[in-house]
């Protein structure tokens, strides 16, 4: 390659995306010159697509219904199967998506075509120009925001040259039409099930049946690729079979049907059986004068109602209809993004935050599957996802989450563990079909976090008194034993010995989750790690592993539940009924045990497990909320003290931090080993977040993390130092290459939680540096190579990995809103307690946030004319809808009672001056 070509390529690769409006629309030059890029297109009906700069990617409804070939991230450049659209221009074959052998051959030369990407919530448009003739193609894809399970694609051809052109367009979209399992399992045999039909406007495939892990089933799903020109005219003919389309010796990037002058076409009503299929739609040749345009609209759909195929043409089959649904879809997503808006007066940061705001909705729809990096699982969400997604919805959606919140508690077992297979309906949980008895010890901690946020945002304390069922299957003793008396015919609802469905209050469910783990300790009197915690990769220490990190979170949670009991008492509720069996774990109310005795705690837990293994007695005991609060507080204080006294460590350099784990040999994980210093970020986050660490300890933790974990090239903190542990005694994560995923990457989720914990410790400067660092790294395309948003982690080269579907997005928004901007609740009261630092006012004297609180739309403006930093200002003036509010004390915090808020109008302007 000559120097000129290298310079051209380097110049193109140094480009970056830029926002072009305030809706999050961004533009990017020559995205095809960057690998691994993809963009999600979805709707609430769970039509899920991914598209790349060359329109690779797939489209599906679920694991068992893929319209297009299922792809993992490496397939994005390996496979030739894509949404292709060919144009013969005066006899020359040209792909408007760049998917021809001739165009690919020019990718690394100065002759590569110029491409411009524009994308917004949630639509994707590419513009490509044919250099010889001036023919320009604009290809726009989106999934309409309605109940139709279709992806729409419009190709607009415009003659920007000086001569009249004769063009012959052909759509070429391979139809996979079956389960992703069949990609490797009986691919050819399942093609024999295909029944391919040419209909008036396209090609449909309806397999006769399906066979996969669900068994042999008669199929009722039809897969379709349909097309019309902008005036509603049907294609002139079809090539519905891949082998006919490519020809002998041909391929999808140089197919015989496109290259030859007069291909043999099939007419409507032609039918074929037992072949791989393609939406090969041939349109009539047209003449384009200079300045003239012609459009072609493609409909990629999946349906169990064959009549919908015709209806889709009526709905979408013209330029005007396409434009109407495009506008409708843009408006739909812009409305979703309108409820939470941060304004730093920085176009790039504000636009980036829009995409972070969208990410929790994407994960709610797609779970942790169905995007190219997320090539695992079979769809659906995990237990943590249920609660973290609700956390995001609470601060971004006007819809109440109460019903969803209550229904999620139905997944809790009486032994404190929970169902791991989440159904598609609210409150639907299924018995473990794979017989994998794994328990993540942190699962019991997350429901309280979301519930507390709901209570603070709404003041609805009596939610804690609402009843919910318990989940039951064959697993018991936190999945360490099975119940031989349970069968699938018994159902998944816990029952009493008299056959009645057992219910308990939401408060009781929370208590069950926290008391069972409090007694479930290892040889260091720390809660057992079991099958792992938040870090799924810590999965090889079930026998002797202990998680100090999440023991700290549980200690903090026990204190919160204790406080909620007192809040309920203050509201007029003096006592609560709880399951009689649970009294064994409320030992301070019956027969106390020594919490320092590991054997006593384990024996008490064994007694409890035996009592709840089968049917419950159905008996209830009435307990004073004050006494209940005292019991929980004693447990919280004891566990916090155990961590504070036993797990604070010092190395030879005088650095101090918390040990986070014990491994499967019972050894302390963190500290100094023959392999060097061992430190985890997780081990620091939760003692800080739970208030176990003092402010001095928090400062020391930051200093140590700066020394051992901070990577200036990645603008963030690594998840851990290099343990060099082979074989790993804690989990498979430490067999990953260091710096990747859960072994020492800059892992966004834990980094954001570190920021949240530091805000809780009044370390606002250090906390903001973390949030800012994640933004800086994400938006720096030279390093991150990703579209706007926050990824799961950054690899050692700085590339953003696993974009879009990450819990870090919800936590980033939550932390920015409640801690940095300081908009939070206190059991219904509005608390405004900003922890803004001087850096945030670098380019402006005011910051603005728009959010929802207690059904009201708040616009809060912080004015900081002197650009003071946290710790150097108080709230000097407050005005609400233009009326100045009298301040009785000088403080950086104000609290507005719930009763006052209920009298506010729906939209409220709050202005705060920091002095």
């Amino acid at each position: 390659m000559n120097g000129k070509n290298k310079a051209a390529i380097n110049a193109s690769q140094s480009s970056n995306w830029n926002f072009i409006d305030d809706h999050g629309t961004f533009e990017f030059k020559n995205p095809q010159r960057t690998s691994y890029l993809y963009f999600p297109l979805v709707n609430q009906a769970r039509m899920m697509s991914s598209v790349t700069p060359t329109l690779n990617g797939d489209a599906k409804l679920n694991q068992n219904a893929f319209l297009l070939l299922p792809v993992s991230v490496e397939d994005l450049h390996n496979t030739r199967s894509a949404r292709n659209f060919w144009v013969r221009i005066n006899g020359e074959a040209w792909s408007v998506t760049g998917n021809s052998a001739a165009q690919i051959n020019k990718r690394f030369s100065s002759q590569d075509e110029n491409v411009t990407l524009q994308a917004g919530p949630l639509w994707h448009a590419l513009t490509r120009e044919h250099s010889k003739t001036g023919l320009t193609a604009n290809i726009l894809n989106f999934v309409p925001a309605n109940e139709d399970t279709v992806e729409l694609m419009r190709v607009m051809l415009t003659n920007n040259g000086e001569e009249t052109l004769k063009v012959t367009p052909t759509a070429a979209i391979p139809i996979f039409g079956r389960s992703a399992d069949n990609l490797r399992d009986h691919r050819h045999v399942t093609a024999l099930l295909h029944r391919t039909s040419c209909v008036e406007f396209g090609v449909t495939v309806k397999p006769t049946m399906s066979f996969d892990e669900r068994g042999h089933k008669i199929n009722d799903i039809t897969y379709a690729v349909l097309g019309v020109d902008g005036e509603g005219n049907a294609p002139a003919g079809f090539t519905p079979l891949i082998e006919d389309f490519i020809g002998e010796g041909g391929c999808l990037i140089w197919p015989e049907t496109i290259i030859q002058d007069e291909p043999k076409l099939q007419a409507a009503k032609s039918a074929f059986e037992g072949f791989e299929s393609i939406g090969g739609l041939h349109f009539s040749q047209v003449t384009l004068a200079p300045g003239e345009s012609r459009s072609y609209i493609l409909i990629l759909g999946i349906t169990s109602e064959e009549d919908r195929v015709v209806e889709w043409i009526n709905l979408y089959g013209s330029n005007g209809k396409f434009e109407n649904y495009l506008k409708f879809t843009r408006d739909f997503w812009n409305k979703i993004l309108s409820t939470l808006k941060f304004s730093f007066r920085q176009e790039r940061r504000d636009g980036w935050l829009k995409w972070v705001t969208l990410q929790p909705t994407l994960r709610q729809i797609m779970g942790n599957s169905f995007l190219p990096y997320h090539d695992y699982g079979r769809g659906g969400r995990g237990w943590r996802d249920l609660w973290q997604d609700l956390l995001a919805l609470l601060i971004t959606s006007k819809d109440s989450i109460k019903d969803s919140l209550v229904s999620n508690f139905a997944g809790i077992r009486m032994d404190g563990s929970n169902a791991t297979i989440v159904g598609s309906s609210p409150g639907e949980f299924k018995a473990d079909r794979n017989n994998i008895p794994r328990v993540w010890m942190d699962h019991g901690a997350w429901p309280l976090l979301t519930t507390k946020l709901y209570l603070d945002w709404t003041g609805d304390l009596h939610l804690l008194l609402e009843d919910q069922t318990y989940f039951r299957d064959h697993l018991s003793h936190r999945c360490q034993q099975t119940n031989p008396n349970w069968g699938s015919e018994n159902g998944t609802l816990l029952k009493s010995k008299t056959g009645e469905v057992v219910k308990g209050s939401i408060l009781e469910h929370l208590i069950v989750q926290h008391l069972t783990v409090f007694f479930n300790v290892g040889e260091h009197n720390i809660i057992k790690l079991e099958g792992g915690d938040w870090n799924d990769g810590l999965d090889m220490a079930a026998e002797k592993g202990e998680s100090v990190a999440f023991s700290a979170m549980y200690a903090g949670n026990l204190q919160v539940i204790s406080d909620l009991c007192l809040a309920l008492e203050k509201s007029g509720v003096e006592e609560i009924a709880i399951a009689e069996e649970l009294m064994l774990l409320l030992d301070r109310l019956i027969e106390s045990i020594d919490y320092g005795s590991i054997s006593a705690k384990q024996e008490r837990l064994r007694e409890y497990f035996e009592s709840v293994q089968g049917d419950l007695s159905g008996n209830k005991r009435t307990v004073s909320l004050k006494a209940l609060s005292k019991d929980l507080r004693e447990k919280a204080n004891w566990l916090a003290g155990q961590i504070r006294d036993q797990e604070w460590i010092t190395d030879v350099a005088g650095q101090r931090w918390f040990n986070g784990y014990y491994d499967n040999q019972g050894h302390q994980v963190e500290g100094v080993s023959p392999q060097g210093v061992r430190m985890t970020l997780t081990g620091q986050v939760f003692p800080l977040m739970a208030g176990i660490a003092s402010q001095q300890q928090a400062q020391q933790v930051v200093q140590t993390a700066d020394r051992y974990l901070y990577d200036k090239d990645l603008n963030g903190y690594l998840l851990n130092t290099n343990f060099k542990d082979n074989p790993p005694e804690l989990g498979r994560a430490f067999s990953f290459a260091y710096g990747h995923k859960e072994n020492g990457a800059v892992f966004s989720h834990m980094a954001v939680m570190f920021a949240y914990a530091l805000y809780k410790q009044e370390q606002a400067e250090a906390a903001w540096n973390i949030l800012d660092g994640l933004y800086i790294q994400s938006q720096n395309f030279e390093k991150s190579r990703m579209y706007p948003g926050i990824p799961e982690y950054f690899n050692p080269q700085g590339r953003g990995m696993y974009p879009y579907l990450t819990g870090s997005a919800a936590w980033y928004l939550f932390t920015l809103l409640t801690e940095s901007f300081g908009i939070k609740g206190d059991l219904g009261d509005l608390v405004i307690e900003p922890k803004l630092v001087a850096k945030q006012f670098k380019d402006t004297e005011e910051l603005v946030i728009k959010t929802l609180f207690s059904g009201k739309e708040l616009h809060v403006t912080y004015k900081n004319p002197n650009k003071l930093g946290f710790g150097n200002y108080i709230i000097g003036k407050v005005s609400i809808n233009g009326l100045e509010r009298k301040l009785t004390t000088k403080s950086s915090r104000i609290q507005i009672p719930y009763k006052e808020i209920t009298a506010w109008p729906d939209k409220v302007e709050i202005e705060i001056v920091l002095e």
Side-chain angles (χ1 to χ4, degrees):
M1 187 181 297
N2 63 43
K4 181 179 179 181
N5 288 350
K6 286 183 178 179
I9 292 169
N10 290 337
S12 71
Q13 290 182 343
S14 65
S15 65
N16 206 336
W17 46 259
N18 291 292
F19 292 107
I20 58 175
D21 63 23
D22 59 1
H23 295 300
T25 304
F26 62 94
E27 184 174 275
F28 184 29
K29 301 292 185 182
N30 297 313
Q32 80 279 12
R33 297 173 190 170
T34 298
S35 301
Y36 303 111
L37 290 176
Y38 58 81
F39 187 86
L41 299 171
V42 301
N43 66 10
Q44 301 287 1
R46 284 184 163 77
M47 180 65 180
M48 298 174 285
S49 297
S50 59
V51 292
T52 74
T54 53
L55 293 194
N56 283 74
D58 56 30
K60 62 274 169 186
L61 285 182
N62 51 52
Q63 177 74 6
N64 299 305
F66 272 74
L67 168 64
L68 305 184
L69 184 77
V71 293
S72 181
V73 70
E74 293 298 332
D75 299 316
L76 299 181
H77 50 255
N78 285 340
T79 183
R80 297 169 177 175
S81 184
R83 303 164 180 82
N84 211 341
F85 194 92
W86 293 88
V87 180
R88 281 176 62 91
I89 312 169
N90 296 338
E92 177 191 346
W94 181 62
S95 166
V96 305
T97 65
N99 286 307
S100 76
Q103 290 161 286
I104 293 170
N105 190 47
K106 298 174 183 177
R107 184 70 51 80
F108 294 102
S109 77
S110 58
Q111 299 176 38
D112 188 19
E113 296 167 333
N114 288 318
V115 177
T116 299
L117 163 71
Q118 287 188 355
L122 270 175
W123 55 272
H124 180 276
L126 293 162
T127 301
R128 178 184 295 270
E129 183 177 343
H130 186 258
S131 56
K132 290 182 181 179
T133 63
L135 182 67
T136 299
N138 178 270
I139 312 103
L140 196 152
N141 295 65
F142 72 98
V143 170
N146 57 21
E147 293 303 309
D148 278 338
T149 49
V150 297
E151 177 191 327
L152 303 182
M153 173 176 168
R154 181 181 66 190
V155 178
M156 181 176 289
L157 303 175
T158 302
N159 183 358
N160 288 320
E162 297 178 354
E163 297 181 3
T164 298
L165 302 175
K166 289 184 178 181
V167 298
T168 306
T170 301
I173 302 176
I175 301 173
F176 184 70
R178 49 203 189 270
S179 169
D181 294 342
N182 301 133
L183 186 63
R184 183 65 184 83
D185 184 5
H186 293 89
R187 166 117 192 220
H188 173 257
V189 172
T190 51
L192 303 181
L193 304 171
H194 281 191
R195 299 298 183 263
T196 305
S197 302
C198 298
V199 296
E200 181 181 3
F201 292 96
V203 176
T204 66
V205 176
K206 184 178 182 182
T208 53
M209 63 180 301
S210 65
F211 53 87
D212 47 41
E213 70 159 15
R214 300 169 300 161
H216 296 61
K217 291 192 172 185
I218 300 300
N219 173 66
D220 64 353
I221 296 176
T222 297
Y223 304 88
V225 174
L226 312 173
V228 297
D229 66 17
E231 304 303 317
N233 299 312
F238 310 95
T239 309
L241 304 182
I242 283 184
E243 62 183 58
D244 291 339
F245 187 83
I246 64 175
E248 294 293 338
C251 63
L252 287 170
I253 61 172
W254 204 243
E256 182 183 27
T257 301
I258 298 299
I259 305 309
Q260 68 183 7
D261 291 332
E262 295 183 4
K264 180 182 177 182
L265 305 183
Q266 301 294 334
K269 298 186 179 179
S270 300
F272 304 86
E273 297 184 357
F275 293 90
E276 293 281 1
S277 307
I278 185 170
L281 281 54
H282 299 261
F283 294 91
S284 299
Q285 185 182 79
V286 297
T287 300
L288 290 179
E292 189 176 1
S293 298
R294 189 65 63 94
S295 294
Y296 300 88
I297 295 164
L298 303 177
I299 304 167
L300 289 62
I302 310 172
T303 181
S304 57
E305 302 174 32
E306 284 190 81
D307 292 343
R308 292 297 294 167
V309 173
V310 176
E311 293 174 14
W312 288 339
I313 292 293
N314 295 330
L315 278 172
Y316 307 114
S318 73
N319 256 330
K321 293 173 181 177
F322 184 95
E323 285 289 344
N324 287 340
Y325 278 101
L326 176 60
K327 181 181 184 303
F328 176 81
T329 299
R330 284 171 166 166
D331 290 345
F332 173 86
W333 290 109
N334 287 335
K335 183 178 180 181
I336 283 182
L337 295 176
S338 69
T339 55
L340 179 63
K341 182 178 179 181
F342 300 92
S343 177
F344 285 87
R345 300 292 194 260
Q346 298 174 24
E347 179 183 69
R348 193 167 182 81
R349 190 189 299 270
D350 294 347
W352 179 81
L353 280 165
K354 279 192 173 293
W355 287 95
V356 177
T357 304
L358 181 61
Q359 287 182 235
T361 302
L362 293 175
R363 199 171 76 148
Q364 185 188 18
I365 293 170
M366 306 183 87
N368 288 317
S369 304
F370 300 135
L371 283 179
Y373 269 118
H374 294 80
D375 57 355
Y376 49 82
R378 310 181 67 82
R381 292 177 290 166
W383 180 256
R384 292 186 207 97
D385 305 333
L386 291 179
W387 305 96
Q388 291 180 155
D389 292 350
L390 282 181
L391 179 148
L393 285 174
L394 185 59
I395 61 178
T396 61
S397 175
K398 293 182 179 179
D399 298 329
S400 173
I401 70 163
K402 181 175 181 177
D403 290 343
S404 296
L405 186 64
V406 172
S407 65
N408 285 351
F409 278 94
I412 296 172
R413 294 188 184 96
M414 202 67 191
D415 66 2
S417 65
N418 55 267
T420 55
I421 301 177
V422 181
S424 56
S425 302
E428 181 187 6
F429 299 94
K430 300 178 181 180
D432 178 20
R433 61 174 176 259
N434 299 317
N435 194 29
I436 304 174
R438 183 178 177 187
V439 173
W440 288 263
M441 62 82 65
D442 67 304
H443 276 187
W446 301 107
L448 176 65
L449 192 76
T450 303
T451 302
K452 181 60 164 59
L453 182 65
Y454 170 81
L455 299 177
D456 284 339
W457 239 242
T458 64
D460 183 16
L461 259 178
H462 284 75
L463 170 121
L464 295 171
L465 304 178
E466 294 204 17
D467 281 340
Q468 182 54 279
T469 57
Y470 285 93
F471 180 78
R472 178 179 67 171
D473 59 6
H474 63 292
L475 298 172
S476 70
H477 293 66
R478 293 186 68 81
C479 299
Q480 297 305 301
Q481 294 187 27
T482 58
N483 179 3
N485 298 320
W486 183 89
S488 58
E489 69 277 4
N490 299 122
T492 57
L493 294 177
L494 180 64
K495 295 180 181 178
S496 70
K497 291 181 173 22
T498 59
E500 297 180 1
V501 173
V502 172
K503 292 186 177 182
S505 66
I506 297 301
L507 179 59
E508 181 185 272
H509 282 69
L510 291 168
I511 292 171
V512 166
Q513 288 184 300
H514 286 76
L515 293 190
T516 49
V517 293
F518 176 81
F519 287 89
N520 190 32
V521 294
E523 60 189 44
H524 300 90
N525 218 337
I526 295 295
I527 299 172
K528 289 182 178 179
L529 179 58
E530 299 178 292
D533 61 13
W534 165 89
N535 188 337
D536 284 351
L538 306 185
D539 57 355
M540 296 172 64
E543 290 79 22
K544 291 190 174 183
E546 297 167 71
S547 176
V548 180
F550 281 91
S551 294
M553 188 175 185
Y554 279 114
N557 281 5
L558 283 164
Q559 182 62 59
V560 171
I561 301 173
S562 172
D563 292 341
L564 288 175
C565 289
L566 296 180
L568 272 174
E569 186 194 39
K570 187 177 179 180
S571 74
V573 181
E574 294 185 356
E575 54 190 23
I576 187 173
I578 62 172
E580 184 177 65
E581 290 82 355
L582 195 55
M583 295 302 296
L584 282 168
L585 304 184
L586 291 168
D587 63 296
R588 293 303 191 248
L589 304 184
I590 50 169
E591 182 182 352
S592 294
I593 66 170
D594 176 12
Y595 294 156
S597 170
I598 296 169
S599 60
K601 290 166 82 172
Q602 292 175 340
E603 174 59 23
R604 181 60 61 90
L605 184 62
R606 186 197 64 77
E607 291 178 39
Y608 174 75
F609 281 162
E610 292 298 320
S611 73
V612 299
Q613 181 176 23
D615 296 331
L616 262 61
S617 67
N619 298 328
K620 295 281 188 178
R621 291 278 295 272
T622 300
V623 176
S624 155
L625 282 169
K626 184 175 291 186
L628 182 58
S629 172
K630 182 179 179 182
D631 178 284
L632 298 174
R633 191 181 311 111
E634 285 191 30
K635 290 178 169 67
N637 291 338
W638 185 91
L639 185 52
Q642 175 77 350
I643 294 168
R644 192 182 298 114
D645 297 340
Q646 179 176 278
E647 307 300 339
W648 185 244
I649 58 179
T650 306
D651 71 1
V652 293
Q655 299 295 320
R656 310 197 73 185
W657 71 98
F658 285 97
N659 171 51
Y661 294 95
Y662 291 91
D663 66 20
N664 212 35
Q665 298 298 317
H667 297 152
Q668 179 178 290
V669 168
E670 303 192 43
V672 179
S673 75
Q675 290 77 31
V677 173
R678 290 185 169 191
M679 180 182 184
T680 71
L681 188 62
T682 312
Q684 317 319 308
V685 166
F686 295 101
L688 269 62
M689 188 185 295
I692 291 173
S694 65
Q695 286 195 15
Q696 181 182 5
Q697 286 177 313
Q699 292 170 356
Q700 291 173 313
V701 163
V702 172
Q703 291 170 3
T704 306
D706 284 344
R707 178 166 180 170
Y708 295 138
L709 297 178
Y710 188 76
D711 188 324
K712 64 179 180 2
D713 292 330
L714 300 179
N715 291 293
Y717 291 93
L718 305 174
L719 198 54
N720 52 269
T721 55
N722 191 352
F723 285 13
K724 301 176 182 177
D725 195 4
N726 190 27
E729 294 292 349
L730 195 56
R732 61 185 160 91
F734 297 99
S735 288
F736 297 160
Y738 181 67
H740 294 266
K741 228 170 185 312
E742 289 98 339
N743 187 17
V746 172
F747 211 92
S748 300
H749 198 164
M750 191 53 65
V752 174
M753 287 196 283
F754 188 33
Y756 181 79
L758 290 173
Y759 275 123
K760 289 290 186 184
Q761 291 284 345
E762 307 290 308
Q763 304 291 314
E765 191 82 28
W768 171 248
N769 287 341
I770 295 172
L771 298 183
D772 192 38
L774 289 170
Y775 160 70
I776 290 171
Q777 184 68 22
S778 297
Q779 62 82 46
N780 182 359
F781 189 81
E782 283 280 344
K783 290 187 175 181
S784 70
R785 298 288 167 182
M786 59 178 287
Y787 294 144
I790 189 170
E792 180 182 276
Y793 71 95
F794 297 97
N795 73 11
Q797 284 71 44
R799 185 185 290 268
M801 308 292 288
Y802 294 74
Y804 298 113
L805 308 181
T806 164
S808 60
W811 267 88
Y812 197 102
L813 299 172
F814 174 60
T815 303
L816 197 57
L817 171 66
T818 62
E819 292 299 326
S820 182
F821 279 79
I823 308 298
K824 62 186 78 174
D826 182 6
L827 299 182
D829 292 353
L830 173 63
V831 175
I832 301 178
E833 186 181 7
K835 296 175 184 174
L836 300 165
V837 300
K839 291 179 183 178
Q840 292 172 269
F841 292 95
K842 178 182 177 183
D843 301 316
T844 182
E845 292 183 2
E846 64 179 46
L847 300 176
V848 182
I849 184 170
K850 175 186 175 185
T851 188
L852 300 172
F853 186 86
S854 199
K856 310 297 182 181
E857 184 180 295
L858 306 184
H859 295 250
V860 182
T861 302
Y862 290 105
K863 294 194 172 184
N864 187 0
N866 297 315
K867 299 188 176 183
L868 301 170
F870 177 72
N872 295 320
Y873 59 71
I874 61 169
I875 294 176
K877 295 180 182 178
V878 178
S879 64
I880 300 175
N881 284 339
L883 298 176
E884 187 168 342
R885 182 184 183 87
K886 185 178 180 181
L887 299 177
T888 57
T889 59
K890 292 183 178 181
S891 173
S892 59
R893 181 183 191 273
I894 62 171
Q895 185 160 342
I896 303 173
Y898 174 74
K899 288 184 178 180
E900 182 177 335
I901 296 167
T902 58
W904 285 354
D906 291 339
K907 294 185 178 181
V908 183
E909 296 279 349
I910 302 176
E911 185 177 288
I912 295 174
V913 179
L914 304 178
E915 297 179 349

